[in-house]
Amino acid sequence: MKRTFDDVVHAHADPQRAAQIIANPFYQSVSSSFAGTQEYMAMEKLGQLRAEADRTGRWDLIVVDTPPSRSALDFLDAPKRLGSFLDGRFVRLLAAPAKVGGRASVKALAGGVAVATKVLDKLLGAQLLRDVQTFVAALDTMFGGFRERADATYALLSEPGTAFLVVAAPERDALREARYFVERLAHDQMPLAGLVLNRVAQPGPIGVDRALGAALQLTDGEESGAAERAAAAALRLQASVGALAARHRAALRGFAAAHPGVPVAVVAAAPTDVHDLEGLRQILR
């Protein structure tokens, strides 16, 4: 996030102003930890990658992998939040002294602004207030570009060449989150390709009740040996997997009933994690 923010500064400011911005203590805090900065920088980076792909043809496909939580779609609100922040009275107040000539020109401001600046001076401290005002003044000419690029990237997300895939485990809580994503994307008119239901347990060759009954028969009696106990353990494992598969199928039916128009791709549970191309090929078979 910090590197992306620095890249933006270097790309849209002359070297002297860029150095001034990056050295500013308030900028260093904002670019690494300010609320909402991460989501906006995600939009900024996506816009950069798309522009490079259009210019050089370097990539055929750009994939954005988001966190598996409701904050995953916060970047959709980044342009609106950024515009509200930049147009806010607090930012305009901080920028006002610099726009009329810096700290020495505070006296030229309207009485109410001057009083507010003095209050901020007491609350934030004189040095911090100067850092904030210097930062806002240095970025003032870049604010419009920030907003325009964020809006352009937001528009890109709704174009036909973009597709959203919701990935979820076949569990009740995970599918509840998936329903939230699906409904939010529909509300924002974003192109939803479908749901990928991951790690779905598959039923075995025999049913749950039959497997449990056979396990009980193998261990019922004093003559059962090691082979019978091992076979019974395998049958009980098969029964537990079968029960899990039934729960997964029920969860999928619930999602499909609530969202009948959403395509669903089921990925079967694998015995190990997939971490290479061969693992992906096994899934595709």
Side-chain angles (χ1 to χ4, degrees):
M1 180 178 66
K2 174 71 164 59
R3 185 173 60 252
T4 300
F5 213 140
D6 290 350
D7 290 343
V8 172
V9 173
H10 284 295
H12 299 280
D14 60 73
Q16 182 177 358
R17 174 163 289 191
Q20 180 186 13
I21 295 172
I22 291 175
N24 185 282
F26 186 71
Y27 167 81
Q28 293 171 8
S29 176
V30 167
S31 61
S32 59
S33 60
F34 195 67
T37 304
Q38 185 172 12
E39 289 78 15
Y40 174 71
M41 284 298 108
M43 292 284 282
E44 183 73 33
K45 175 57 73 174
L46 179 57
Q48 291 175 5
L49 294 174
R50 171 58 186 266
E52 184 175 350
D54 290 342
R55 186 176 63 256
T56 66
R58 182 176 178 184
W59 301 292
D60 300 313
L61 178 68
I62 298 172
V63 178
V64 180
D65 186 14
T66 69
S69 67
R70 294 198 175 203
S71 62
L73 296 181
D74 283 353
F75 70 93
L76 294 180
D77 297 324
K80 184 185 300 182
R81 285 201 307 268
L82 182 69
S84 299
F85 172 71
L86 299 179
D87 294 333
R89 295 176 62 187
F90 181 67
V91 170
R92 294 201 303 270
L93 175 63
L94 293 174
K99 287 183 177 180
V100 295
R103 187 175 175 79
S105 302
V106 171
K107 294 180 181 178
L109 300 175
V113 175
V115 171
T117 302
K118 290 180 181 179
V119 172
L120 287 172
D121 199 319
K122 291 181 180 179
L123 291 175
L124 302 177
Q127 183 57 50
L128 178 57
L129 180 59
R130 282 195 294 272
D131 289 339
V132 174
Q133 289 175 335
T134 301
F135 167 73
V136 172
L139 281 181
D140 185 53
T141 57
M142 297 172 57
F143 282 168
F146 273 13
R147 188 170 12 234
E148 290 169 5
R149 291 192 303 279
D151 289 341
T153 305
Y154 184 86
L156 167 68
L157 295 176
S158 62
E159 292 180 359
T162 300
F164 283 81
L165 278 171
V166 178
V167 182
E171 302 292 346
R172 182 181 301 174
D173 291 343
L175 285 174
R176 185 184 301 117
E177 291 292 292
R179 286 195 291 270
Y180 164 79
F181 288 137
V182 167
E183 292 163 5
R184 171 68 195 278
L185 291 169
H187 178 270
D188 288 357
Q189 297 182 328
M190 295 297 174
L192 174 65
L195 169 73
V196 176
L197 202 60
N198 196 22
R199 298 183 177 180
V200 178
Q202 302 299 302
I206 59 176
V208 174
D209 292 339
R210 184 179 175 186
L212 290 176
L216 183 60
Q217 288 180 356
L218 287 171
T219 56
D220 187 19
E222 298 179 355
E223 297 181 356
S224 59
E228 287 80 3
R229 290 193 296 272
L235 287 166
R236 284 192 290 268
L237 178 60
Q238 171 60 53
S240 66
V241 172
L244 181 62
R247 291 201 303 271
H248 287 178
R249 290 195 301 273
L252 176 57
R253 287 195 298 270
F255 178 88
H259 301 282
V262 177
V264 178
V266 174
V267 178
T272 60
D273 287 338
V274 176
H275 53 79
D276 54 21
L277 291 177
E278 181 55 34
L280 288 176
R281 293 189 186 99
Q282 291 294 332
I283 288 178
L284 293 173
R285 289 172 183 167

